[in-house]
Amino acid sequence: MIYTKRLNTDVETLTRMENVVPSIQIPSGPTIAYADTGGEGVPIIFSHGLFMNREMFAPQLEEFSKDHRCIVWDERAHGETEWAG
C-alpha cells in the first residue's frame, strides 16, 4: 500500500512552514510530516540528513517547483515527524 496525500500550496508557504503541516500516519509506526508542492513534471523527493529537517530545502523548492512536483519530508526523530518508538 502506498501512503500519499497531496497538498497544493505555494513555495512561500513551504518556506515558512507555519501553516498546517500535512502528515501521514504509517500503521504501527511514525506520523510523517511532509509538504507537497503539487504541480506538473517529474516528481522530486527531497530527503534530508542527520540533524536537519525539510525546511533546509526551501531554496531547492523555489527553483524546482517551477517545473516539477516537489515533495519534502521530515525523517524519524526530525522536524515535525512524530515517533514514539
Side-chain angles (χ1 to χ4, degrees):
M1 178 181 276
I2 299 173
Y3 300 94
T4 61
K5 187 174 175 183
R6 195 166 180 170
L7 172 69
N8 292 313
T9 188
D10 60 10
V11 173
E12 182 179 335
T13 301
L14 291 172
T15 302
R16 288 193 324 261
M17 304 244 177
E18 296 171 351
N19 295 337
V20 175
V21 176
S23 62
I24 298 287
Q25 173 63 53
I26 304 300
S28 302
T31 299
I32 298 174
Y34 72 96
D36 183 341
T37 64
E40 300 296 321
V42 176
I44 301 173
I45 299 174
F46 296 89
S47 185
H48 62 79
L50 189 61
F51 305 119
M52 306 281 186
N53 64 29
R54 69 186 186 283
E55 293 178 356
M56 70 174 284
F57 295 112
Q60 289 84 357
L61 291 179
E62 185 173 353
E63 179 62 30
F64 291 114
S65 66
K66 297 172 187 173
D67 300 315
H68 301 277
R69 175 181 178 193
C70 297
I71 302 166
V72 293
W73 64 293
D74 284 332
E75 296 181 25
R76 246 187 326 180
H78 292 79
E80 296 185 50
T81 288
E82 298 173 10
W83 177 257

